[in-house]
Amino acid sequence: MASGRHASAEELTAGMPAVTMYSTPSCPFCQMAEKLLQHKGATVERIRVDLEPERRAEMMSRTGRRTVPQIYIGDFHVGGYEELADLERAGRLESLLRAE
C-alpha cells in the first residue's frame, strides 16, 4: 500500500548521472533542452559560454562543435537539442538519465 509520501528532489535525482549543458541565455534550443531534461527529473548544470569565453573553448575542444547547446549526460556527449529530442523519441533518454 502506498504511503502517500512524495519523493524529494534529492531522492528523484539520486543515482542520476550529472547533466551538463553548455549554453547561452538567449538560445531557444538551450531553453527547450533544459525544459525537457527538467521534465525528466534531471538537474542541469548550465555552463554559460557567453560569460566565460574559456568555457566556450573548452566546449569546442571537448565536442568539436561551436554551437549551443552541447549536452553531456555523465561522460556521454549527447550533442545538441535535436540529438536530445531524438533520444527522447526513441525511448532512450530515460535509460541514459537513470544510468541503466
Side-chain angles (χ1 to χ4, degrees):
M1 181 182 214
S3 67
R5 180 180 167 280
H6 293 281
S8 69
E10 292 79 19
E11 290 171 317
L12 289 173
T13 58
M16 257 190 196
V19 177
T20 306
M21 180 172 68
Y22 293 92
S23 66
T24 63
S26 60
C27 165
F29 291 105
C30 299
Q31 294 164 9
M32 291 187 300
E34 187 169 22
K35 284 180 185 173
L36 174 56
L37 289 162
Q38 288 174 341
H39 177 74
K40 292 292 184 180
T43 300
V44 179
E45 176 196 356
R46 291 178 61 210
I47 299 172
R48 294 271 310 269
V49 298
D50 58 315
L51 297 177
E52 301 177 75
E54 68 278 3
R55 300 304 296 267
R56 181 179 291 276
E58 170 191 284
M59 175 192 80
M60 291 168 53
S61 174
R62 281 182 82 187
T63 67
R65 298 182 181 184
R66 302 174 56 86
T67 59
V68 291
Q70 291 301 318
I71 304 158
Y72 278 86
I73 299 175
D75 291 331
F76 177 73
H77 179 225
V78 172
Y81 175 74
E82 291 297 326
E83 292 89 352
L84 182 70
D86 288 346
L87 287 171
E88 172 65 359
R89 281 190 291 276
R92 294 184 45 220
L93 182 57
E94 193 82 25
S95 63
L96 279 173
L97 290 171
R98 301 288 173 243
E100 296 174 350

